[in-house]
Amino acid sequence: MKAVAPAPAAKPAAAAPAAAKPKAEPAAEATGGPEFVTLRGPAAAVAKNMNASIEVPTATSVRAVPVKLLFDNRIVINNHLKRARGGKISFTHLIGYAMVQAIKAMPSMNYSFQEKDGKPTLVKPEHVNFGLAIDLVKPNGDRQLVVAGIKKAETLNFFEFWQAYEDIVRRARDGKLTMDDFTGVTVS
């Protein structure tokens, strides 16, 4: 395995006069939407290095985790669905819902950053918009991967999440997704 050099450290910023130092305030827009917070100090340096790291090769680590409970719960749910209303759930339904619940419990995992007015800015979305990767087959046989969003996923119970998931997959396969389905995804 080839070792990867760390991203270069950020250059220290010139010190501003103490009297001219403005108080950090969130740059939220009055129309709603995510809150934008201009990053300063170490957080700005981390964001700058994260941006630079896009150019650095990455390594992937794979872990084995016990999933017996996941298997068992899927069997119980699918047996209930078979007797009640029909349909099935997949591991992806369960894992996706678990991701949303984890992010709901730890909202900072839904944050991102972007440059705004040339400055690294922390983006704190109002909701968890779960991006679902869907493999589609084009009429000519080629395959295409699209990522459509389940909006406000943290507000949904499992049944609602399952319905939203199935609806987005059905609309993707029927070619009925809109631009709105592709915008605003915060996690995938």
Side-chain angles (χ1 to χ4, degrees), residues 88 90 92-93 132-139 142-148 162 164-178 181-182:
K88 291 179 84 172
S90 69
T92 310
H93 291 107
L132 179 63
I134 306 166
D135 181 27
L136 299 176
V137 179
K138 293 181 177 181
D142 289 346
R143 300 187 86 81
Q144 176 182 13
L145 189 66
V146 299
V147 179
W162 178 52
Y165 181 111
E166 292 301 308
D167 174 63
I168 213 151
V169 169
R170 183 176 30 263
R171 289 188 296 119
R173 293 193 174 137
D174 291 344
K176 295 184 178 177
L177 292 176
T178 66
D181 294 312
F182 296 104

Side-chain angles (χ1 to χ4, degrees), residues 31-32 36-37 44 55 134 149 159 174:
T31 60
F36 292 89
V37 180
E55 303 296 324
I134 306 166
F159 179 72
D174 291 344

Side-chain angles (χ1 to χ4, degrees), residues 96-97 100-101 104 127-130 150-157 161:
Y97 187 72
V100 170
Q101 295 309 303
K104 185 177 178 180
H127 295 285
V128 177
N129 295 331
F130 181 75
I150 297 174
K151 305 295 170 76
K152 299 180 181 180
E154 83 285 2
T155 66
L156 307 175
N157 62 37
F161 180 83

Side-chain angles (χ1 to χ4, degrees), residues 10-95:
K11 294 179 184 174
K21 195 171 190 178
K23 182 179 176 186
E25 292 182 6
E29 297 188 17
T31 60
E35 174 186 359
F36 292 89
V37 180
T38 301
L39 300 177
R40 296 185 188 346
V46 168
K48 182 178 179 183
N49 288 339
M50 286 174 62
N51 205 24
S53 75
I54 293 171
E55 303 296 324
V56 177
T58 59
T60 301
S61 175
V62 178
R63 303 277 192 270
V65 294
V67 293
K68 181 169 178 12
L69 189 58
L70 183 69
F71 272 88
D72 293 346
N73 283 335
R74 180 175 174 256
I75 290 168
V76 168
I77 293 169
N78 282 336
N79 285 339
H80 172 75
L81 288 173
K82 191 186 308 180
R83 288 188 307 272
R85 67 178 66 223
K88 291 179 84 172
I89 64 161
S90 69
F91 293 113
T92 310
H93 291 107
L94 294 170
I95 293 168

